Amino acid sequence: MIRDFEELELSVKSMGCRKIAIAAAADEDVLKVKDQVEKAGLAVCILVGDKAKILEIAKTLNIEINIDSIIDIPDTVEAAKKAVSLVRLGEADLIMKGHLQTGDFLRAVLDKEVGLRTNRLLSQVTVCQKPDGDGLMLITDCAMNIAPDINGKKMILENAVELALKLDIQKPKVALLCAVEMVNLDMPDTTDAAILSKMAERGQIKNAQVDGPLALDNAMSLISAAHKGIDSPVAGRADILVVPNINVGNALHKSLLFFAGKSIASVVMGAKVPIIMTSRADSPETKYLSVALSGYIAKNS
């Protein structure tokens, strides 16, 4: 089992470089990440975008660029399509969003004819160190699905379980987060959680132990769970937190960064390959670790 980001990074380095197609790469932050991951030996980047701008930015930042690594496509929509095609043709292992609108990027990824879509829902997963330091934990979905229905939550959960298994977390314990740990008919998220828990119990969700509704405190703390009288293999031991909506997920993700100062990585699951789609506000460390995480997943697919 991968227990921390240092171990993850070392594992990726030992696997050999992966190729990342970066869509619309003419951006300072993108080129800084490209420089960092290449120097660390995590990946080799194919820069798809406005060649003149890429070289101008690189010169300003004093970053060396191999001209042969640039595919000159100034239009960002077309750059996204080309980056997707590189992955489809096996010329790149991963795809990363550069400086373009998220909608334009996702349209290229999800194109029915030439994209990377599957029959699964795309969902974002945040990865961080457990509070006790004993391994990594996952939080989902913090960035993509606004208010998923119960079927959406099931697919979000299953994407996270797939990622957990790739990180060698066997039979991950999944907590379905709500404001309370009791089913309340006036709170639909609690009934969704109860139904999903029963579905897992009946084998409709595989390879995981699922329980909910659970509040954050009793999902993460054995002491809190004991105070509430909760007898559950998941309570206090969660490997995966499934949030009820994007508001909760976004706040939790950013709280880890800005209140707790935690190192985090993120990835979008559900496509044919992991998707690196960090926010412009994310730190260089988050972007670097997200590349490492995606590279590890791709190598273990």
Side-chain angles (χ1 to χ4, degrees):
M1 182 172 69
I2 300 295
R3 296 200 170 274
D4 54 39
F5 284 126
E6 183 178 356
E7 186 177 333
L8 177 73
E9 183 181 355
L10 291 173
S11 296
V12 176
K13 288 180 179 180
S14 71
M15 294 172 177
C17 286
R18 311 299 282 168
K19 289 185 178 179
I20 303 175
I22 304 180
D27 178 78
E28 284 193 12
D29 289 343
V30 167
L31 293 185
K32 287 177 182 177
V33 172
K34 172 260 180 204
D35 191 51
Q36 187 179 12
V37 301
E38 287 190 340
K39 285 180 177 177
L42 291 184
V44 173
C45 299
I46 303 170
L47 306 175
V48 186
D50 188 320
K51 182 177 181 179
K53 287 184 179 179
I54 290 171
L55 292 175
E56 180 184 349
I57 294 168
K59 183 177 180 181
T60 301
L61 298 174
N62 197 27
I63 291 174
E64 291 187 12
I65 298 285
N66 179 353
I67 294 178
D68 292 337
S69 71
I70 303 174
I71 298 176
D72 186 21
I73 303 179
D75 184 89
T76 58
V77 172
E78 294 303 315
K81 292 178 181 177
K82 180 61 177 179
V84 168
S85 74
L86 292 173
V87 176
R88 282 188 62 88
L89 295 172
E91 296 174 22
D93 306 296
L94 297 163
I95 186 167
M96 180 174 177
K97 175 183 172 290
H99 187 46
L100 77 162
Q101 294 293 323
T102 299
D104 290 337
F105 178 71
L106 289 177
R107 270 189 289 276
V109 169
L110 294 173
D111 186 283
K112 290 183 179 179
E113 300 298 325
V114 294
L116 301 172
R117 72 184 302 154
T118 64
N119 60 356
R120 292 153 50 196
L121 182 71
L122 293 190
S123 59
Q124 181 268 6
V125 186
T126 295
V127 179
C128 64
Q129 192 82 26
K130 285 187 173 181
D132 62 5
D134 186 22
L136 298 173
M137 68 175 298
L138 287 61
I139 307 169
T140 189
D141 176 344
C142 303
M144 290 200 68
N145 294 283
I146 296 172
D149 61 15
I150 192 165
N151 288 323
K153 290 174 182 177
K154 178 177 181 288
M155 288 187 276
I156 289 167
L157 189 165
E158 290 171 333
N159 281 345
V161 169
E162 178 189 349
L163 175 52
L165 294 174
K166 290 182 185 300
L167 292 170
D168 301 319
I169 303 172
Q170 299 302 316
K171 201 77 172 177
K173 297 175 176 62
V174 182
L176 298 157
L177 290 190
C178 294
V180 296
E181 64 279 347
M182 303 296 287
V183 175
N184 183 332
L185 297 181
D186 291 326
M187 301 174 71
D189 287 322
T190 68
T191 57
D192 284 356
I195 292 168
L196 289 166
S197 298
K198 179 56 73 174
M199 290 172 73
E201 186 181 311
R202 297 284 175 87
Q204 292 173 264
I205 298 171
K206 302 184 184 303
N207 302 316
Q209 292 178 290
V210 181
D211 197 14
L214 289 171
L216 180 61
D217 55 349
N218 44 64
M220 298 305 302
S221 167
L222 285 169
I223 294 172
S224 177
H227 280 320
K228 295 288 183 71
I230 300 171
D231 181 15
S232 161
V234 174
R237 305 176 181 88
D239 300 304
I240 299 172
L241 303 178
V242 177
V243 301
N245 56 57
I246 197 171
N247 292 322
V248 175
N250 182 271
L252 189 51
H253 173 101
K254 290 179 178 175
S255 293
L256 292 170
L257 284 171
F258 295 104
F259 289 150
K262 299 274 282 186
S263 296
I264 65 171
S266 67
V267 64
V268 173
M269 299 290 290
K272 291 181 179 178
V273 298
I275 299 172
I276 306 163
M277 198 171 77
T278 55
S279 165
R280 289 183 65 80
D282 282 334
S283 68
E285 181 192 41
T286 294
K287 294 172 182 176
Y288 176 83
L289 292 176
S290 297
V291 171
L293 174 65
S294 300
Y296 185 86
I297 299 165
K299 196 70 175 181
N300 285 279
S301 296

